[in-house]
Amino acid sequence: MGILDLFSKQGRVERSRASNIKGALNKYAQSADRFKNLQALRDDGSEEALYGLLRRFGMMYDKTIDDEQEKDWVFEVLSEKGVTILPSLKKYLAAADSISWPLRLLDKVADRETELAMLSEILLRHEPGYERDPTKKIQLLNHLAGIKDGSVPPLVAPYLADMDEGVRYAAVEALVRQGDAAAAVGPLVARFTNPEEESLRLRLQVAEGFADLKWTVPSDRRADVEKLLPEAYKLTKAGQIEKKAQP
């Protein structure tokens, strides 16, 4: 095979791959036609093809059942490929606006160290502060909430100061679910008593977390916390938050 033949063959492969990616993401095509393109990308197996399969998660098809079936199929195909998808997955997680499906994939194919390293890197691209669409931050924090690891609280605590209430709430939930009082009590009390915090549901979430886990409010912060407790809660002399008895 000569050099010209080699380049010609490579060009055909690349054009075919590009066509399959385009077809797999065509929301106006029939589901059966998209499946042919998705199967071709699966058989291709290159990093570009795997990235094309991942992009299917970001496309919404009008027929909800078909949309879910296609995404389920892509999820299973990529899961079976294991760690070979990690380079494409990392690229997609960095680029996509919504990442709930890819986060599930990451949890399935990566070991814990790799998963946390990748999540930490993505969070660096979405630091606390203003972001036009906070969906990705919230999805990352919700995912981290389900990972019990000592490195999680330092990752999520800074988002207690985010400008978006939904992000702050997700950070509270993540810290509570970790169950690590040493890492969570200080930051949560600081957020709870912050004079700029206007979210009642956030304070309810903090109060409920302290009550369920029997965490103690530091003695020097109890007066501030008590002033802001939601109506359904009280602070005991020992510094614990409890639900009031129902009349």
Side-chain angles (χ1 to χ4, degrees):
M1 180 183 293
I3 292 178
L4 292 177
D5 291 329
L6 181 63
F7 280 122
S8 177
K9 181 179 179 181
Q10 182 178 344
R12 289 196 298 273
V13 169
E14 291 175 355
R15 287 192 296 273
S16 175
R17 181 184 300 133
S19 176
N20 285 321
I21 292 173
K22 183 178 180 180
L25 303 176
N26 183 1
K27 65 182 295 183
Y28 301 108
Q30 294 297 313
S31 182
D33 294 330
R34 262 196 315 277
F35 258 119
K36 292 178 183 177
N37 296 122
L38 292 169
Q39 289 168 337
L41 292 173
R42 173 200 61 190
D43 297 340
D44 179 323
S46 65
E47 188 171 326
E48 295 84 354
L50 296 177
Y51 186 74
L53 282 171
L54 285 161
R55 288 178 62 192
R56 177 61 187 85
F57 292 129
M59 190 272 280
M60 295 290 292
Y61 184 42
D62 293 338
K63 296 180 180 179
T64 307
I65 294 176
D66 289 343
D67 187 61
E68 284 293 316
Q69 287 178 340
E70 289 177 34
K71 287 174 178 173
D72 283 336
W73 184 88
V74 171
F75 183 89
E76 292 304 320
V77 164
L78 292 172
S79 296
E80 290 171 4
K81 291 184 178 293
V83 295
T84 61
I85 74 168
L86 285 176
S88 301
L89 184 56
K90 181 178 181 180
K91 179 182 176 183
Y92 186 77
L93 284 167
D97 293 327
S98 180
I99 54 174
S100 56
W101 282 89
L103 285 173
R104 286 172 52 200
L105 264 177
L106 178 64
D107 193 56
K108 190 162 186 177
V109 303
D111 59 46
R112 183 53 50 81
E113 183 180 358
T114 301
E115 181 178 15
L116 285 169
M118 200 175 295
L119 293 171
S120 178
E121 188 174 331
I122 297 164
L123 278 172
L124 287 174
R125 299 168 179 259
H126 301 275
E127 295 181 337
Y130 174 76
E131 200 161 321
R132 184 183 59 81
D133 183 359
T135 300
K136 192 169 182 177
K137 283 184 189 177
I138 293 171
Q139 289 175 339
L140 285 164
L141 293 170
N142 287 342
H143 185 77
L144 283 165
I147 300 175
K148 283 274 190 160
D149 191 278
S151 64
V152 171
L155 286 176
V156 304
Y159 292 87
L160 292 171
D162 196 86
M163 294 183 70
D164 182 79
E165 189 267 356
V167 173
R168 297 197 304 277
Y169 184 88
V172 168
E173 185 174 16
L175 282 173
V176 169
R177 287 182 62 185
Q178 289 300 302
D180 184 349
V185 166
L188 288 176
V189 168
R191 187 70 240 170
F192 189 92
T193 58
N194 189 309
E196 296 182 359
E197 183 55 65
E198 298 178 347
S199 173
L200 175 59
R201 74 165 186 148
L202 184 146
R203 287 199 170 101
L204 281 167
Q205 178 75 347
V206 173
E208 183 177 351
F210 270 68
D212 289 344
L213 297 168
K214 302 188 185 307
W215 285 345
T216 301
V217 177
S219 57
D220 62 334
R221 305 306 304 274
R222 291 174 189 173
D224 295 331
V225 167
E226 192 167 24
K227 292 176 186 176
L228 295 165
L229 273 178
E231 182 64 28
Y233 292 87
K234 65 180 181 179
L235 188 67
T236 69
K237 291 182 179 180
Q240 291 189 329
I241 297 174
E242 294 181 351
K243 281 189 176 181
K244 292 179 180 177
Q246 295 295 324

